[in-house]
Amino acid sequence: MSKKTKKRSTAPSAAHHLSAFASVFQYGRDRVTIADWMQAWRIAESPVMPRTYPLMEVYDMVCIDAEVITAINNRKNKVLGEPFLVLDPDGNYQEAATKKLRGSWFDDFINAVLDAEFFGYSLIEIGQALNEDDYSIKEINTVERRNIIPGRKLVLPYPFSAYGEGIDFSADYLKRWYIFCHSKRFPLGLLLYAAPYAILSRDALIKHADFNRDYGKPYKIVHTDKEGEERREVLDALLNVEEELNGVFDIEEKVEIAFPSGGGGTVDTFDKMDEKASKKLLKIIQGHVKLSNDTEGGAQTYMNKDSIAKTPSEEIREYDMARVEAVVNEELFPRLLDFNYPLAGHSFVFLDTHLRELQRQRKSISETALTLALNHFEVSTTEFEKATGIKVKKKVTLPVDQNVKEVAKKGAENDTNTNTATESEANEETGNQVDSTSNLDTDIEVAKNQDFFKYGAVTLPIRDKKLWVSLLPDIDINDLYICPKAGVYGYEDTPHITALYEVHALPNALEKVEVLLCSAQQEIEVQLTAISVFEQKDKDYEVLKFEVASPTLVQLHEALKAELKHTLQYETYQPHATIAFIKKGAAKKYTATKIEQPIKLSLSEAIYSDGRGNKTLIKFAK
C-alpha cells in the first residue's frame, strides 16, 4: 500500500537564482547633480534601449540624505508594525494560518512591496532557502534593481550588459519563484520627484560647510613697520599662530583680531534653501512636513468620501496597507499554496483595515432602514450579520392579546429586576434573551416586537490612556483571544468601569441617567486593587480584569438599579475594569502580577449607551 506524499515544487537551480545572477560591477558614488538626474531620467524612459541603473544610482545617493531615509522608514514602519489576520472564506480568524506568516521573511516581503512605491519596482525572490522539515520559506531576497529592465521583464548579469545576456523573469519555469511589484502610480518611483530636492539640500549643506571653512574663522591681521628680512620673520611668526592665536611679537607691533562682516545673510540664505528643500521632500514621501506627527502643524485634516476626518499621513498609510494586502492575496498566497501552506480560500488583511471595513458596513444601513426591517420584515440573521457585522440572537415574540397589558401591570408590582436561575439557564442553552413581562414599562403599549429589547449600559470611561497602558501586564500575543466576527481583539481598547449593564432601551432611560449623574458629586474615586479572572463557562475565552473598590461607585450602581428597568445577569455587583480577553485556561498566570498599593483613579463622566449604537456623554455635576 503506497503512502500519499505531499505535493512539492522543486526550487530553481542555483544558476537561476536571480538575486545571485544579478551582480553590480561597481557602485556609483560620485556627486550627483540636477543634470545627472535629468540624464538618468531620460535613459530610464528611452523607447529604444532603456536602462535603469543610472537612475538607481541617483536614488542610491538620494537615500544617503538623513531626512529622506528617515521619512521613508517612518512611512514604512506604520505598516510594518501593524497587526494582521488571515481569515477563512466565512470571515473567521484563522490563528494557525496567521502564525505561519509571522517571521522575518514575511517582514522582508512587506518591506520589499513597500519599497516598490519609492523605487518604482521590486523583484522579490522566494524559495531560495526552504526549511527542510516542512518546506516553508526561510528568507526573501530582492533582486538588484540596477540590473532590471522593467519594460522588458529582464534581469541582466551586470547593469551595462547586453539585453541578450539577460534572463526573462516572467518565464514559466521562474514565475512561481518571483513576484514583480511595479508601482502603477509612480512607474519610476517617488524618489524620481524627491531627487532634485535632495540634491539641492545636499548642495546647500556642502556650500554651507565651504562657507564656514573659508569665512567662519577670524582673520589674523598684524600691523608692523618692519621691512625686508625682518618683515618676513613677522610673517612667519603669524603663520605659526594657528588656532589658539598665541604668538610673540615686538612690543611696537600691533596685532588685531577681525571677524568677517555680512556673513550672516549668506548663511541664512543657505539655511532657507535647505529648509524649503526639506519640506518638499517630506511632502513628496509622507504627504506632510512633520517627521513624527502630522497633526501638530504642517498637515491639515480633511473629510474624505466616507466623511471620516483623516490626515494625509493616515490616507497614505491606508493606501500602503491596501497595496500590501493586494500583493499578498493575489501574488504570494497562490505561491504559498504550492508550498503546502494551509491557505486555500483564505485572505490576508491588516487588523486596522478589517476594523474600518466593519465600521463601514455598520454605517451602510441607515437607522430608519434598520428599524423598518426589524419591525415589518422577516430578515435573515445570516444576511443581517453579513451586511452589518452585528451578531444577531434569536428573538421570542410574546403572544399579543387584550390581557398582555394587564399582565405587565401585575408583574410590575412584584418586579425584582432579576432573572430566576431557571430562566437564566434556559436562555444560555437556547441562545435567546427573554425578558420577563415584569420588566416592561406599563405606559408603553405592547406591540408585536415589544419584547425584542436591545440592552444598553452606563459606563465610566478611563481617559488617562498613558496611565492605563503603564498598568497593563505584559501578555503573550499567543494568549490573546482574537475573534473578528465577534468583535474581540485581545486587549480592551476602550478601558472603562461598568456602573450598570443590560439597561432596557426605553424612552425615558437617558433622562433618568442624566438626573442621577447630575446630582452626583463632581468625581467618583475608585481604586484598582488586584488582577483577577472572570471564567466564562460556555465561552472560548476568559476575562482578565482589574478588581475595583469604591463605595461611591456601589452607591451609584444601586441608585441606577432602582431607577432604570434592567435585566441583571449576576446577583452580586462586582465592579471591575477589563484588561483583555484571554484564551481559555491561559489567564490565571497573569494574576501573579501583584499591585503593591491600590491605584487611585478619579472619574468625572459617564457614557450612556442605549443598545442601538447611540452613546451620550454625561458630565458629573460641577
Side-chain angles (χ1 to χ4, degrees), residues 232-436:
R232 182 176 297 279
E233 289 176 0
V234 172
L235 179 60
D236 290 341
L238 176 64
L239 293 175
N240 290 327
V241 169
E242 297 181 349
E243 301 297 334
E244 291 80 9
L245 298 178
N246 295 323
V248 179
F249 298 95
D250 219 71
I251 193 167
E252 296 179 356
E253 295 169 352
K254 297 179 180 179
V255 178
E256 180 182 347
I257 307 300
F259 290 88
S261 61
T266 309
V267 172
D268 290 343
T269 301
F270 288 135
D271 285 343
K272 287 178 181 178
M273 184 174 71
D274 181 57
E275 183 181 354
K276 289 181 180 178
S278 295
K279 286 183 177 180
K280 291 287 186 181
L281 280 171
L282 293 176
K283 279 189 176 181
I284 290 169
I285 296 172
Q286 294 191 154
H288 56 86
V289 298
K290 286 282 183 180
L291 269 176
S292 59
N293 186 351
D294 59 344
T295 61
E296 298 175 3
Q300 297 293 323
T301 57
Y302 61 94
M303 304 301 287
N304 73 350
K305 63 183 180 180
D306 295 323
S307 298
I308 300 174
K310 295 181 181 179
T311 64
S313 176
E314 289 169 334
E315 287 288 337
I316 289 173
R317 173 173 167 270
E318 289 178 12
Y319 168 81
D320 287 343
M321 288 195 295
R323 176 71 173 146
V324 171
E325 288 165 352
V327 174
V328 171
N329 288 316
E330 296 170 12
E331 301 289 346
L332 180 62
F333 271 22
R335 289 164 172 83
L336 294 183
L337 281 171
D338 198 42
F339 295 155
N340 298 317
Y341 276 70
L343 299 170
H346 290 43
S347 60
F348 170 88
V349 65
F350 285 106
L351 175 59
D352 183 71
T353 304
H354 185 67
L355 294 176
R356 281 187 283 108
E357 177 61 20
L358 290 179
Q359 184 183 29
R360 188 196 64 78
Q361 289 176 355
R362 289 188 177 99
K363 288 185 175 181
S364 65
I365 294 185
S366 70
E367 188 174 348
T368 303
L370 188 59
T371 302
L372 287 171
L374 291 175
N375 290 340
H376 301 286
F377 300 97
E378 289 294 332
V379 181
S380 165
T381 57
T382 304
E383 290 179 325
F384 184 84
E385 289 179 29
K386 186 176 180 181
T388 65
I390 303 171
K391 190 156 182 74
V392 179
K393 293 182 179 180
K394 295 178 182 179
K395 67 177 182 179
V396 178
T397 305
L398 291 177
V400 180
D401 57 49
Q402 296 178 351
N403 297 322
V404 168
K405 198 168 183 180
E406 211 40 49
V407 171
K409 286 182 179 179
K410 290 180 180 179
E413 296 173 359
N414 301 317
D415 187 9
T416 61
N417 285 330
T418 58
N419 287 336
T420 63
T422 307
E423 270 183 340
S424 185
E425 291 170 4
N427 292 341
E428 289 177 3
E429 291 175 3
T430 61
N432 298 334
Q433 181 64 60
V434 183
D435 289 304
S436 163

Side-chain angles (χ1 to χ4, degrees), residues 504-548:
H504 293 184
L506 300 175
N508 60 348
L510 174 59
E511 182 182 348
K512 290 182 178 180
V513 172
E514 289 177 329
V515 170
L516 278 171
L517 294 180
C518 288
S519 62
Q521 60 188 40
Q522 186 174 353
E523 291 182 338
I524 291 181
E525 299 289 341
V526 301
Q527 293 183 344
L528 308 184
T529 58
I531 296 178
S532 58
V533 179
F534 271 142
E535 295 181 356
Q536 307 290 311
K537 293 182 180 179
D538 56 347
K539 304 290 184 182
D540 296 329
Y541 61 84
E542 298 169 334
V543 179
L544 190 67
K545 61 182 174 67
F546 286 117
E547 293 182 1
V548 175

Side-chain angles (χ1 to χ4, degrees), residues 499-500 516 551-564 566 571-573:
L500 183 62
L516 278 171
T552 309
L553 179 61
V554 174
Q555 291 174 7
L556 176 62
H557 169 78
E558 294 298 331
L560 291 169
K561 193 167 67 169
E563 288 294 327
L564 301 174
H566 61 282
E571 292 185 5
T572 304
Y573 177 51

